[in-house]
Amino acid sequence: EAQVTQNPRYLITVTGKKLTVTCSQNMNHEYMSWYRQDPGLGLRQIYYSMNVEVTDKGDVPEGYKVSRKEKRNFPLILESPSPNQTSLYFCASSFGGHQPQHFGDGTRLSIL
Amino acid sequence: KNQVEQSPQSLIILEGKNCTLQCNYTVSPFSNLRWYKQDTGRGPVSLTIMTFSENTKSNGRYTATLDADTKQSSLHITASQLSDSASYICVVRFHSGYALNFGKGTSLLVTP
């Protein structure tokens, strides 16, 4: 089954404790992207990757890092999480940037 | 300033009725415009994607229209069902680059 898998689905942690949210897709997509979704603000793009070893900043990249060492994986790293990063996070992938994206089911992060 | 504005913010309709959601954008030139449906607690799912040269695209009971001259798009839902209750998100991609511009969405509630 074609899918985008995010882990964990839920996480409660404390300020400053490094965490990684993994994202994996099984559709051989070149394009992958991370978003955060907050009430009243909609989806906002954090980082995206056009292919392996090629990444670029979205609208809200501060406080986040990403890497794309393999085509199927695109982890989101919070080196020193802060409460303002409490949000619902989505990973998505597609064939190139012109095609519809497939989204994961989301990761709800709470930073205390 | 958000370059994609959606209206209304929320909408309640009776089951079986039709409705139309609006999306106005200032992104120019643009590559494509997408409509996504997001059920509560799930990732968005693609409904339609249109290039600047297309002016209508259908997906079952969903029909999207695009007027590139006025920079407006609409999503028409015919014979609404309870399962249509969701948030509908309009997304515009710039002609160059891979960044996407998201609207804040319209929350639709279909009642019996």
Side-chain angles (χ1 to χ4, degrees):
Chain A
E1 180 190 350
Q3 58 186 3
V4 177
T5 303
Q6 297 179 225
N7 279 296
R9 293 291 314 280
Y10 305 91
L11 179 63
I12 301 174
T13 187
V14 296
T15 299
K17 186 176 181 181
K18 180 180 178 180
L19 68 92
T20 299
V21 184
T22 63
C23 174
S24 180
Q25 50 92 4
N26 62 0
M27 296 167 279
N28 202 33
H29 286 166
E30 295 90 2
Y31 184 92
M32 297 186 74
S33 185
W34 275 104
Y35 303 90
R36 62 178 290 175
Q37 188 172 37
D38 302 289
L41 296 178
L43 281 157
R44 293 180 292 169
Q45 194 171 39
I46 303 171
Y47 270 96
Y48 59 93
S49 170
M50 292 73 79
N51 215 324
V52 175
E53 301 292 2
V54 184
T55 63
D56 206 351
K57 297 177 181 178
D59 294 323
V60 288
E62 295 78 19
Y64 304 95
K65 285 176 56 177
V66 292
S67 68
R68 188 89 183 273
K69 293 184 170 57
E70 306 166 283
K71 198 171 188 179
R72 64 182 294 128
N73 296 322
F74 190 45
L76 179 70
I77 303 159
L78 285 72
E79 293 271 5
S80 183
S82 62
N84 64 12
Q85 292 178 298
T86 292
S87 187
L88 178 59
Y89 291 84
F90 288 101
C91 179
S93 71
S94 65
F95 279 119
H98 293 279
Q99 298 303 315
Q101 291 183 286
H102 295 255
F103 283 79
D105 280 335
T107 294
R108 188 167 291 280
L109 285 184
S110 293
I111 316 293
L112 304 178
Chain B
K1 182 180 184 301
N2 197 6
Q3 300 185 68
V4 180
E5 299 287 344
Q6 292 188 242
S7 62
Q9 191 173 28
S10 62
L11 182 63
I12 302 174
I13 63 172
L14 289 174
E15 185 179 13
K17 298 295 186 182
N18 303 335
C19 69
T20 300
L21 314 180
Q22 299 290 344
C23 174
N24 294 342
Y25 60 93
T26 58
V27 177
S28 183
F30 81 97
S31 171
N32 58 58
L33 185 145
R34 312 152 186 220
W35 283 95
Y36 285 87
K37 176 188 178 189
Q38 185 177 21
D39 293 314
T40 301
R42 305 299 302 274
V45 173
S46 177
L47 293 176
T48 64
I49 180 169
M50 291 182 290
T51 65
F52 67 92
S53 61
E54 296 177 290
N55 55 25
T56 187
K57 185 73 72 81
S58 291
N59 178 358
R61 294 180 297 102
Y62 301 101
T63 299
T65 63
L66 173 64
D67 186 333
D69 291 332
T70 61
K71 295 186 173 61
Q72 294 180 326
S73 177
S74 63
L75 181 69
H76 186 74
I77 304 175
T78 304
S80 61
Q81 300 176 358
L82 298 179
S83 59
D84 291 331
S85 295
S87 180
Y88 292 84
I89 303 169
C90 175
V91 186
V92 181
R93 185 189 158 182
F94 278 114
H95 179 68
S96 60
Y98 292 86
L100 297 173
N101 294 267
F102 286 78
K104 294 182 182 180
T106 292
S107 179
L108 174 65
L109 177 63
V110 181
T111 63

